PDB file of all heavy atoms in Angstrom:
ATOM      1  N   ASN A  15       3.205  14.840 -13.443  1.00 46.00           N
ATOM      2  CA  ASN A  15       2.199  15.563 -14.236  1.00 46.00           C
ATOM      3  C   ASN A  15       2.251  17.024 -13.979  1.00 46.00           C
ATOM      4  O   ASN A  15       2.034  17.852 -14.928  1.00 46.00           O
ATOM      5  CB  ASN A  15       0.773  14.988 -13.931  1.00 46.00           C
ATOM      6  CG  ASN A  15       0.560  13.642 -14.584  1.00 46.00           C
ATOM      7  OD1 ASN A  15       1.118  13.370 -15.628  1.00 46.00           O
ATOM      8  ND2 ASN A  15      -0.267  12.796 -13.959  1.00 46.00           N
ATOM      9  N   GLN A  57      22.538  67.509   5.063  1.00 98.00           N
ATOM     10  CA  GLN A  57      23.186  68.511   5.891  1.00 98.00           C
ATOM     11  C   GLN A  57      24.663  68.139   6.140  1.00 98.00           C
ATOM     12  O   GLN A  57      25.481  68.997   6.426  1.00 98.00           O
ATOM     13  CB  GLN A  57      22.472  68.644   7.210  1.00 98.00           C
ATOM     14  CG  GLN A  57      22.347  67.422   8.066  1.00 98.00           C
ATOM     15  CD  GLN A  57      21.496  67.612   9.290  1.00 98.00           C
ATOM     16  OE1 GLN A  57      21.553  68.670   9.979  1.00 98.00           O
ATOM     17  NE2 GLN A  57      20.625  66.677   9.600  1.00 98.00           N
ATOM     18  N   PHE A 120      18.113  78.189  10.061  1.00 97.00           N
ATOM     19  CA  PHE A 120      18.887  79.442  10.029  1.00 97.00           C
ATOM     20  C   PHE A 120      18.569  80.298  11.244  1.00 97.00           C
ATOM     21  O   PHE A 120      19.347  81.182  11.616  1.00 97.00           O
ATOM     22  CB  PHE A 120      18.531  80.254   8.784  1.00 97.00           C
ATOM     23  CG  PHE A 120      17.147  80.781   8.753  1.00 97.00           C
ATOM     24  CD1 PHE A 120      16.865  82.042   9.240  1.00 97.00           C
ATOM     25  CD2 PHE A 120      16.077  80.011   8.293  1.00 97.00           C
ATOM     26  CE1 PHE A 120      15.579  82.563   9.259  1.00 97.00           C
ATOM     27  CE2 PHE A 120      14.773  80.502   8.300  1.00 97.00           C
ATOM     28  CZ  PHE A 120      14.529  81.772   8.785  1.00 97.00           C
ATOM     29  N   LEU A 189       8.563  81.315   8.135  1.00 98.00           N
ATOM     30  CA  LEU A 189       8.584  80.674   6.829  1.00 98.00           C
ATOM     31  C   LEU A 189       8.840  81.680   5.703  1.00 98.00           C
ATOM     32  O   LEU A 189       9.606  81.416   4.773  1.00 98.00           O
ATOM     33  CB  LEU A 189       7.239  79.957   6.601  1.00 98.00           C
ATOM     34  CG  LEU A 189       6.964  78.792   7.547  1.00 98.00           C
ATOM     35  CD1 LEU A 189       5.570  78.272   7.332  1.00 98.00           C
ATOM     36  CD2 LEU A 189       7.972  77.680   7.379  1.00 98.00           C
ATOM     37  N   LYS A 227      -4.928  69.728  13.584  1.00 98.00           N
ATOM     38  CA  LYS A 227      -6.298  69.502  13.164  1.00 98.00           C
ATOM     39  C   LYS A 227      -6.582  70.304  11.918  1.00 98.00           C
ATOM     40  O   LYS A 227      -5.886  71.261  11.611  1.00 98.00           O
ATOM     41  CB  LYS A 227      -7.279  69.895  14.308  1.00 98.00           C
ATOM     42  CG  LYS A 227      -7.190  69.050  15.578  1.00 98.00           C
ATOM     43  CD  LYS A 227      -8.122  69.518  16.619  1.00 98.00           C
ATOM     44  CE  LYS A 227      -8.112  68.598  17.816  1.00 98.00           C
ATOM     45  NZ  LYS A 227      -6.830  68.619  18.546  1.00 98.00           N
ATOM     46  N   LYS A 268     -11.086  60.425  14.596  1.00 87.00           N
ATOM     47  CA  LYS A 268      -9.849  60.422  15.391  1.00 87.00           C
ATOM     48  C   LYS A 268      -8.719  61.159  14.696  1.00 87.00           C
ATOM     49  O   LYS A 268      -7.790  61.624  15.374  1.00 87.00           O
ATOM     50  CB  LYS A 268      -9.466  58.986  15.643  1.00 87.00           C
ATOM     51  CG  LYS A 268     -10.449  58.199  16.517  1.00 87.00           C
ATOM     52  CD  LYS A 268      -9.962  56.785  16.772  1.00 87.00           C
ATOM     53  CE  LYS A 268     -10.944  56.034  17.644  1.00 87.00           C
ATOM     54  NZ  LYS A 268     -10.464  54.653  17.899  1.00 87.00           N
ATOM     55  N   LYS A 295      -2.846  71.866  -5.519  1.00 97.00           N
ATOM     56  CA  LYS A 295      -2.294  70.511  -5.651  1.00 97.00           C
ATOM     57  C   LYS A 295      -2.396  69.863  -4.261  1.00 97.00           C
ATOM     58  O   LYS A 295      -1.787  70.353  -3.315  1.00 97.00           O
ATOM     59  CB  LYS A 295      -0.858  70.552  -6.138  1.00 97.00           C
ATOM     60  CG  LYS A 295      -0.677  71.198  -7.489  1.00 97.00           C
ATOM     61  CD  LYS A 295       0.789  71.393  -7.844  1.00 97.00           C
ATOM     62  CE  LYS A 295       0.939  71.975  -9.228  1.00 97.00           C
ATOM     63  NZ  LYS A 295       0.411  73.308  -9.368  1.00 97.00           N
ATOM     64  N   TRP A 330      -0.662  65.231  -5.912  1.00 99.00           N
ATOM     65  CA  TRP A 330       0.752  64.923  -5.838  1.00 99.00           C
ATOM     66  C   TRP A 330       1.014  63.843  -4.807  1.00 99.00           C
ATOM     67  O   TRP A 330       0.593  63.940  -3.639  1.00 99.00           O
ATOM     68  CB  TRP A 330       1.524  66.193  -5.368  1.00 99.00           C
ATOM     69  CG  TRP A 330       1.800  67.173  -6.463  1.00 99.00           C
ATOM     70  CD1 TRP A 330       1.247  67.281  -7.681  1.00 99.00           C
ATOM     71  CD2 TRP A 330       2.770  68.213  -6.396  1.00 99.00           C
ATOM     72  NE1 TRP A 330       1.763  68.345  -8.375  1.00 99.00           N
ATOM     73  CE2 TRP A 330       2.719  68.915  -7.611  1.00 99.00           C
ATOM     74  CE3 TRP A 330       3.691  68.627  -5.428  1.00 99.00           C
ATOM     75  CZ2 TRP A 330       3.560  70.008  -7.938  1.00 99.00           C
ATOM     76  CZ3 TRP A 330       4.507  69.717  -5.716  1.00 99.00           C
ATOM     77  CH2 TRP A 330       4.441  70.440  -6.945  1.00 99.00           C
ATOM     78  N   GLU A 333       5.417  61.691  -0.922  1.00 98.00           N
ATOM     79  CA  GLU A 333       6.413  60.965  -0.132  1.00 98.00           C
ATOM     80  C   GLU A 333       6.119  59.510  -0.099  1.00 98.00           C
ATOM     81  O   GLU A 333       4.965  59.088   0.160  1.00 98.00           O
ATOM     82  CB  GLU A 333       6.504  61.539   1.301  1.00 98.00           C
ATOM     83  CG  GLU A 333       7.649  60.888   2.108  1.00 98.00           C
ATOM     84  CD  GLU A 333       7.718  61.406   3.525  1.00 98.00           C
ATOM     85  OE1 GLU A 333       7.663  62.675   3.696  1.00 98.00           O
ATOM     86  OE2 GLU A 333       7.779  60.617   4.463  1.00 98.00           O
ATOM     87  N   ARG A 419       9.201  64.258 -18.539  1.00 98.00           N
ATOM     88  CA  ARG A 419       9.604  65.556 -18.089  1.00 98.00           C
ATOM     89  C   ARG A 419       8.396  66.416 -17.727  1.00 98.00           C
ATOM     90  O   ARG A 419       7.260  66.137 -18.114  1.00 98.00           O
ATOM     91  CB  ARG A 419      10.443  66.258 -19.184  1.00 98.00           C
ATOM     92  CG  ARG A 419      11.636  65.453 -19.654  1.00 98.00           C
ATOM     93  CD  ARG A 419      12.560  65.012 -18.551  1.00 98.00           C
ATOM     94  NE  ARG A 419      13.045  66.170 -17.784  1.00 98.00           N
ATOM     95  CZ  ARG A 419      13.672  66.049 -16.626  1.00 98.00           C
ATOM     96  NH1 ARG A 419      13.842  64.898 -16.046  1.00 98.00           N
ATOM     97  NH2 ARG A 419      14.088  67.164 -15.996  1.00 98.00           N
ATOM     98  N   VAL A 427      -2.650  53.727 -23.021  1.00 98.00           N
ATOM     99  CA  VAL A 427      -1.877  52.588 -23.526  1.00 98.00           C
ATOM    100  C   VAL A 427      -2.584  51.313 -23.042  1.00 98.00           C
ATOM    101  O   VAL A 427      -2.853  51.158 -21.844  1.00 98.00           O
ATOM    102  CB  VAL A 427      -0.428  52.593 -23.015  1.00 98.00           C
ATOM    103  CG1 VAL A 427       0.347  51.378 -23.522  1.00 98.00           C
ATOM    104  CG2 VAL A 427       0.285  53.863 -23.426  1.00 98.00           C
ATOM    105  N   ASN A 451       8.193  44.414 -16.079  1.00 98.00           N
ATOM    106  CA  ASN A 451       8.077  42.973 -16.141  1.00 98.00           C
ATOM    107  C   ASN A 451       8.591  42.403 -14.814  1.00 98.00           C
ATOM    108  O   ASN A 451       9.796  42.245 -14.646  1.00 98.00           O
ATOM    109  CB  ASN A 451       8.870  42.401 -17.328  1.00 98.00           C
ATOM    110  CG  ASN A 451       8.867  40.877 -17.358  1.00 98.00           C
ATOM    111  OD1 ASN A 451       7.951  40.276 -16.811  1.00 98.00           O
ATOM    112  ND2 ASN A 451       9.869  40.291 -17.975  1.00 98.00           N
TER     113      ASN A 451
END
Side-chain angles (χ1 to χ4, degrees):
N15 284 330
Q57 59 185 319
F120 69 92
L189 296 173
K227 296 179 174 65
K268 296 182 178 180
K295 299 172 177 65
W330 278 18
E333 185 182 312
R419 306 306 302 168
V427 179
N451 175 25

